[in-house]
Structure formats: C-alpha cells, structure tokens
Amino acid sequence: LCNTSVATKFEFRHALIREAAYNSLLRRDAINLHSALARIYDAVAGELYGLALWHGRDRELAEDAVQEVFCRLAGGRVRLPGELASPRAWLLRCVRNATIDLQRRSPRQASLETAQCELVHARGWNPERAAEIAALSTAVAALAPKLREAVYLHAYAGMTFREAGAVLGVATFTAASRYRLALRRLEK
C-alpha cells in the first residue's frame, strides 16, 4: 500500500522538533506553550488529519477533530499524563477519540466521493496508476473504520502493531489481526 521507508524518514526528520515541543507542552511552560503547540502541529498535523479522515471519511470532520484536540491542548482542557511512552501515539489516540465523539454528536453521512480520493494517494500521486489507485481507494473506503485505522497506522503512519494497538486502545495482536483482515478484504 505504501512505502514504509517514507514514514520512517518522516519520523526521523521530525523526531527532534517534536521531542522538544512535546517536552515544553508536558511541562506546561506557559511562555513556550503556543510555540510548542505550533511546532507539534507543523510536525504531525498531516498524520493526525490522515487518521481522522481514514476513520470518518469526511474532510470537515477530520479537520474539526484535529482542531478540537489542539484547541483543548491550548486551553489546558486536556489532562496530560505525566510521562508518555509515545507522545505521537497519544496525540493520534486523542484525534481518534475526537473523531468518534464528533461523529456521535452530529451524525452525518460520510462523504465518500470527496474523501476516497485522498485515502490511498495521500502520500503521493502517480497519474499513471490513476485507475488502480481509484479502485483501491474505493475498496479502502468500504472497509469498516476499525480496519481502515489499522491500515492507516501501520502502512501509512509506519507504526508497529504495538504502537497502533496503543493508539486504537487494543492489544498488539488485535491491531495486527485488523490489519491482516483489511488486507485480505482489499485483495478480493
């Protein structure tokens, strides 16, 4: 589905920026809070948006979920854990939860036509494979949200099954099972 080395390069390139920003945020350093949030946003907003989009299949919903998480962080309405094993996983989980909450509050039909084109080629567009990408996007959009999330976190975000399980709030084995089940359904 994707080149996981791209995700690894992305992770490495932004690791130092995010680490410093996360540390400032966790210390709740009032002077640097907004600067820290801006750096975190710049480093991971695309990834957070991607997960929300893959879950909800709605651009507006995905944008709202990411915005809600950062507004809560900026306003101090989020209780930050003292120590985070993976701040990235914690933020992804926050966005996932915000997406689910927004869907519950205002249920609306997922906009497949507008979102499906983004599901597969969010990492790069290859016009020569447009028909194949369109078919795969339609198949991905048809998967259940739990399966789409597993594919996104493992294949696109480059997370291990353990990390994906932490984001999804499930066991490592469950995250791996969801991913494999999604692949089997996509192969059909």
Side-chain angles (χ1 to χ4, degrees), residues 97-180:
N97 291 343
T99 303
I100 292 168
D101 289 345
L102 288 170
Q103 284 177 313
R104 286 181 187 147
R105 274 189 252 149
S106 63
R108 55 186 172 197
Q109 209 49 17
S111 127
L112 281 175
E113 294 78 25
T114 58
Q116 75 183 15
C117 61
E118 291 182 71
L119 292 181
V120 172
H121 63 79
R123 286 269 168 154
W125 171 248
N126 182 348
E128 292 146 11
R129 297 181 64 198
E132 181 183 344
I133 289 171
L136 186 55
S137 292
T138 301
V140 168
L143 291 173
K146 291 178 180 182
L147 301 181
R148 281 195 310 271
E149 290 173 328
V151 171
Y152 178 80
L153 292 171
H154 185 68
Y156 281 80
M159 298 183 104
T160 65
F161 290 124
R162 180 177 302 221
E163 293 168 327
V167 170
L168 300 173
V170 299
T172 302
F173 179 78
T174 303
S177 292
R178 289 178 182 177
Y179 178 77
R180 285 188 206 96

Side-chain angles (χ1 to χ4, degrees), residues 85-98:
S86 174
R88 174 182 175 223
W90 180 77
L91 277 173
L92 283 163
R93 186 171 181 138
C94 287
V95 166
R96 178 182 183 266
N97 291 343

